[in-house]
Amino acid sequence: MKDVLNSPEIQKMTALREMQPYNHPTRAMYIGAPGKVGYLRLGFEIDARGKSILRDHERIAPLIVQKELYCDEGMPEMPVVYILSSGGPNVDGDRYEQDIEMRRGSFGHVTTGAATKIAEMKDNFSAMYQNLVLEEDSYLEFMPEPTIPCIEARYASYTDIVCHPSATLLYSEIFTPGRKHRDNEIYKYDILSVTCSARRPDGRRLFREKFVIEPQNSDIRNLGIMGKYDIFANVIVLTPPDRAKEIYDATEAGFFNDGNLAVGITRLPNDAGLLLKVLGMETGPVKDAVRKFGSTVRQTVKGRPLLPDFPWR
């Protein structure tokens, strides 16, 4: 069983410079206590029949998966995996790690069962490290539900990606300003630190993106940051250049819904792929815009649409 708390990846998270003002011992359950350190490893591959399956997985609660489902009507041969948490919201001192490996030719869709809620914190912070590896001709849609940082929440995530030039990754993150419709709890969290770094299997670096949001130290409503918008989606697509061009040409950018939704798209450096950003007033339209873009990606790469999400989502 992996020693998550003492792994180099989690130690790197704990040492992040911007998190040091919050890096204190917890007064409740100690850091590393059972239920506060979660680990998940998923390995997808093609079986002897040519079917993409979840070949193996390892889990340490509160991170849980059960088995793959084939419930996507747009691509019924695609395995769908829901990541669940038995521990409720993330609290101070939580340390999580997720590893997803897409072996040669495999494909899959990974999401979460519900939004990730980052609870109010007093002593420490919550951290998530993710490692995504895509081998030759593999395809992964990693589209978790939104992250909701509550009042005084502190959260850091770091995603490392290793992507073969022939593989495709669609990775989306959606961030709310807090519990918007509960006591107007908007941008009252302490800090949100999000980093994503990608490289080729030979180690060649593709890009690194990082943003640190500290609402108490800067005006989030400034033009060029969030302005009037509340919801922010960041979508990364790593794919071969010819597919990236087709996706880029098929994506409409601009302002929609009477200016209540803004969509922008750009090319990543080193012919890595594309970066889409969506701003909106409410979560629903932003999720719809991300899913519409995801459908363009899937149609381009797999020749199948990504249908509208289930109504209960």
Side-chain angles (χ1 to χ4, degrees):
M1 192 69 69
K2 181 167 184 175
D3 183 3
V4 176
L5 186 63
N6 295 308
S7 70
E9 294 81 10
I10 293 298
Q11 291 298 310
K12 179 170 66 174
M13 299 291 297
T14 302
L16 286 172
R17 182 176 61 181
E18 63 271 17
M19 307 309 293
Q20 296 316 297
Y22 312 104
N23 196 11
H24 307 297
T26 53
R27 285 170 289 181
M29 293 179 67
Y30 62 90
I31 299 175
K36 292 186 67 61
V37 178
Y39 177 66
L40 183 64
R41 181 180 61 81
L42 307 177
F44 292 85
E45 68 176 43
I46 300 295
D47 69 5
R49 300 168 295 172
K51 181 180 181 180
S52 186
I53 62 170
L54 179 62
R55 169 62 72 186
D56 50 71
H57 73 272
E58 180 182 351
R59 62 193 183 188
I60 299 176
L63 295 180
I64 298 172
V65 297
Q66 295 175 322
K67 61 178 295 183
E68 73 273 41
L69 304 174
Y70 293 87
C71 56
D72 190 322
E73 294 182 359
M75 194 171 174
E77 69 273 28
M78 172 174 280
V80 178
V81 173
Y82 288 89
I83 299 174
L84 308 175
S85 175
S86 62
N90 293 27
V91 299
D92 41 2
D94 283 355
R95 301 291 187 264
Y96 298 143
E97 181 176 341
Q98 296 182 159
D99 297 334
I100 301 177
E101 181 181 2
M102 306 300 299
R103 293 157 193 156
R104 182 173 180 173
S106 64
F107 52 92
H109 180 102
V110 178
T111 183
T112 54
T116 298
K117 301 174 184 66
I118 315 298
E120 179 179 353
M121 299 181 184
K122 298 298 184 183
D123 298 319
N124 202 265
F125 61 93
S126 175
M128 164 74 82
Y129 175 82
Q130 300 181 123
N131 183 44
L132 313 180
V133 178
L134 287 87
E135 296 183 359
E136 184 178 357
D137 294 324
S138 62
Y139 176 83
L140 172 62
E141 296 171 351
F142 189 14
M143 304 176 69
E145 288 291 289
T147 298
I148 306 174
C150 300
I151 186 170
E152 297 181 355
R154 303 105 176 235
Y155 181 63
S157 71
Y158 198 110
T159 302
D160 267 327
I161 302 169
V162 179
C163 186
H164 189 277
S166 64
T168 295
L169 168 67
L170 168 64
Y171 175 45
S172 70
E173 296 178 291
I174 300 176
F175 300 96
T176 78
R179 292 174 292 186
K180 181 176 179 179
H181 300 290
R182 181 186 183 276
D183 299 329
N184 198 33
E185 193 180 286
I186 298 178
Y187 296 122
K188 293 183 179 179
Y189 55 85
D190 286 340
I191 186 170
L192 189 65
S193 172
V194 179
T195 306
C196 184
S197 178
R199 64 187 187 276
R200 294 300 186 201
D202 61 5
R204 182 166 63 93
R205 187 170 174 175
L206 296 177
F207 73 92
R208 183 175 186 269
E209 182 190 38
K210 179 171 184 173
F211 51 88
V212 178
I213 306 172
E214 297 178 279
Q216 308 308 316
N217 296 334
S218 60
D219 188 357
I220 303 299
R221 294 302 186 190
N222 278 343
L223 186 65
I225 304 180
M226 288 297 292
K228 70 175 183 178
Y229 299 104
D230 291 333
I231 313 299
F232 167 56
N234 201 54
V235 187
I236 293 168
V237 175
L238 303 184
T239 196
D242 57 334
R243 292 172 177 169
K245 182 180 185 304
E246 186 175 345
I247 296 166
Y248 183 92
D249 292 342
T251 301
E252 185 178 5
F255 295 93
F256 307 93
N257 297 355
D258 296 323
N260 290 321
L261 186 73
V263 179
I265 186 171
T266 188
R267 295 178 176 86
L268 290 169
N270 300 310
D271 288 328
L274 303 169
L275 178 65
L276 183 89
K277 294 184 184 289
V278 183
L279 301 178
M281 307 302 295
E282 299 291 342
T283 304
V286 172
K287 288 179 63 177
D288 290 343
V290 170
R291 199 164 180 88
K292 179 181 177 181
F293 178 70
S295 187
T296 301
V297 173
R298 185 191 287 188
Q299 188 71 50
T300 301
V301 179
K302 289 294 186 182
R304 303 287 187 88
L306 178 61
L307 300 181
D309 210 349
F310 296 113
W312 51 267
R313 299 276 282 173

